[in-house]
């Protein structure tokens, strides 16, 4: 019997997921963030076992074959997946947060119906654009693609257990904490 809850956080790029999760982890020492596996190459500054577990396509496929993933999907020709054993081990120590896209999140819910799905939504589209632009990490063309994807992701909100609007950051973090306490 695991000790912790599995909390899955999704939402469009730039909505503030990373910011919320970082604050949550500082406040809840028994919670941890899951590390996904990917076949893409590490970006500058990314660390093995912290940002991702970086695997070859062969190793990733072997893990698929032996049921090593809670869920996995393909994005832009690279595989991404949630390692099942890693998550189960962490759940024995406390709450585990997965920050993954909507398709992955819905697959997690099918595999583990106890998982709690939280969608982080922007106050409005203009504010999402302002945040993506303000973060300064993407070109205008990438921002347009991410905004188009945002409509798809937010369209799945009704399949989530909770939807939190990240308007005031402090309020949003408090709402996620409340969900963890209540569930
Ligand atoms: P994500 O992880 O969802 O892609 P980030 O956490 O990187 O998003 O946040 C995107 C940008 O929005 C960052 O510059 C962050 O500081 C800012 N941000 C996050 N939450 C808020 C908020 N409630 N109000 C204003 N800006 C925010
Ligand atoms: P990036 O290459 O920018 O780190 O991530 C690309 C995409 O992969 C993002 O949409 C991210 O949410 C998704 N992703 C990261 N980890 C996982 C995972 O474990 N499972 C799934 N399904 N998607 C993931």
């Amino acid at each position: 019997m695991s000790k912790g809850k599995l909390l899955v956080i999704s939402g469009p790029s730039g909505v503030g997921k990373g910011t919320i999760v970082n604050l949550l982890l500082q406040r809840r020492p028994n919670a941890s963030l899951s590390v996904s596996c990917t076949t893409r190459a590490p970006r500058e500054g990314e660390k093995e076992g912290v940002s991702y577990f970086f695997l070859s396509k062969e190793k990733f496929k072997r893990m698929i074959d032996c049921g090593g993933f809670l869920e996995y999907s393909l994005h832009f020709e690279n595989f991404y997946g949630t390692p099942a054993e890693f998550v189960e081990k962490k759940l024995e120590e406390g709450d585990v947060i997965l920050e993954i896209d909507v398709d992955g999140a819905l697959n997690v819910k099918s595999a583990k119906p106890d998982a709690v799905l939280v969608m982080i939504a922007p106050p409005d589209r203009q504010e999402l654009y302002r945040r993506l632009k303000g973060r300064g990490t993407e070109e205008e063309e990438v921002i347009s693609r991410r905004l188009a994807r945002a409509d798809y992701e937010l369209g799945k909100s009704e399949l989530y257990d909770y939807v939190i609007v990240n308007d005031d950051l402090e309020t949003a973090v408090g709402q996620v904490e409340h969900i963890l306490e209540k569930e």
Side-chain angles (χ1 to χ4, degrees):
M1 188 54 191
S2 62
K3 196 176 150 202
K5 289 167 221 93
L6 187 59
L7 187 78
V8 186
I9 296 203
S10 311
S13 181
V15 76
K17 299 179 297 294
T19 309
I20 291 173
V21 168
N22 282 338
L23 286 170
L24 205 62
L25 291 173
Q26 284 169 24
R27 294 179 197 183
R28 298 188 73 92
N30 91 327
S32 62
L33 187 62
S34 168
V35 180
S36 298
C37 298
T38 182
T39 58
R40 82 151 161 76
R43 295 188 189 125
E44 208 176 310
E46 286 187 329
K47 290 201 181 78
E48 165 68 20
V50 180
S51 319
Y52 282 105
F53 294 110
F54 295 97
L55 306 182
S56 65
K57 283 209 164 120
E58 292 67 36
K59 178 97 198 282
F60 199 102
K61 283 179 182 158
R62 277 203 299 279
M63 262 182 84
I64 295 175
D65 291 343
C66 67
F69 291 111
L70 197 51
E71 60 76 37
Y72 68 92
S73 61
L74 196 62
H75 297 269
F76 303 108
E77 294 176 5
N78 280 304
F79 286 105
Y80 292 80
T82 307
E85 204 182 307
F86 180 81
V87 168
E88 291 306 331
K89 280 220 180 83
K90 281 193 173 267
L91 278 171
E92 283 166 23
E93 294 156 21
D95 298 331
V96 179
I97 301 170
L98 299 183
E99 198 192 310
I100 54 176
D101 70 325
V102 284
D103 299 332
L106 295 171
N107 286 334
V108 168
K109 188 78 174 178
S110 307
K112 286 181 84 77
D114 286 350
V116 181
L117 266 48
V118 176
M119 172 70 77
I120 309 291
D124 54 56
R125 220 166 182 276
Q126 286 79 4
E127 175 59 16
L128 183 61
Y129 176 76
R130 268 196 294 277
R131 287 183 196 171
L132 271 171
K133 187 105 180 131
R135 187 166 67 180
T137 49
E138 282 96 357
E139 305 282 332
E140 194 66 33
E141 189 212 323
V142 178
I143 292 181
S144 303
R145 253 192 285 140
R146 297 202 161 190
L147 281 176
R149 171 86 187 164
D151 295 334
Y152 169 77
E153 303 225 334
L154 292 168
K156 301 273 179 181
S157 293
E158 68 204 41
L159 300 172
Y160 274 62
D161 298 303
Y162 300 92
V163 179
I164 290 177
V165 177
N166 180 21
D167 190 352
D168 173 64
L169 180 61
E170 188 54 42
T171 307
V173 176
Q175 285 172 327
V176 183
E177 272 198 290
H178 183 68
I179 290 169
L180 269 178
E181 271 151 29
K182 185 171 91 170
E183 286 280 345

